[in-house]
Amino acid sequence: MSASVLYDVPGPKARRRNRVYGVVSTLALLGLIAFVIYRLDDTGQFQAGLWDDYQYANTQDRILEGLLTTLKTFALAAVFSLALGAVLAAGRLSDHRWVRWPTAVLVEFFRAMPLLIMIFLLYYAYFDTQPMWALVIGLTLYNGSVQSEIFRAGINAVPKGQSEAAYALGLRKTQVMTSVLIPQAVRSMLPSIISQLVVTLKDTSLGFIILYEELLYVGKAFAERTPPENGVYAFIPMVIVFGSIYILLCLALSSLATWIERSTQRSRKGAPAAVPAGAATAMADPSHSADAGSRGGDARGGGPKAD
């Protein structure tokens, strides 16, 4: 039985056992899905009248408007939260105590404050006529504080020898951060940053509570206006349709993160350095290198010594 670096490769019995476990798990999952579909059908959720409205152009245009509104809100919140996270991370990493401590208080406060309460407070206190900004600022404050901790942890994860060598070369702290630490930390921070951006995208659905016409609000209003079919309301079809849209958006964002991560890994490897022609000749012909070395020794030493 061969061994890997991390674990022992399973033998014949273990492989058979794993196949059995895989088949049983797959059958159990398929059974669960079949049971859910059966229950939905049994309660009348697949009646044609509950789904026909989605084929109309007016309904599709309304869904598209809600989708564009959600993407606009997410884009603003993502950019602002990343910028705020960078500023707060710089404050947390500052050498000055009067900067570091207030920044730490702000970060912990916004991380501990429930996002829904923050959005409600912003909406009723300042933005009752502009619900989009209540949602964007609430998402920015919460996710920016979380992103700042991701940035700080990624920078602190870079080996200390990197910064010590940069300081030994006479670089200032700003130069060490921008030229040495951050470029290395970004590669390790990228998965966590994208994961938090996915959370930001999903949290845009909280806008329906303050009557902001994003995707979930459009779906809820559409389900309420759809007449019931045999006493069954269209909320479950709405959840299936609009939930699928959210899932596809999150999968697209995760795929983008995977592509960026692979691109950075390829760029980090780089192209092999070019070998000078003389060095290539010397490696190909060792006698040539030895002759050149002896001629160099004769030139430096003035030739062979006399007896």
Side-chain angles (χ1 to χ4, degrees), residues 13-30:
K13 291 184 179 179
R15 286 198 294 269
R16 284 195 297 270
R17 231 179 6 251
N18 292 338
R19 292 192 190 100
V20 172
Y21 294 157
V23 171
V24 171
S25 301
T26 302
L27 292 176
L29 181 60
L30 292 176

Side-chain angles (χ1 to χ4, degrees), residues 279-293:
T281 305
M283 287 187 292
D285 188 1
S287 61
H288 175 77
S289 177
D291 294 342

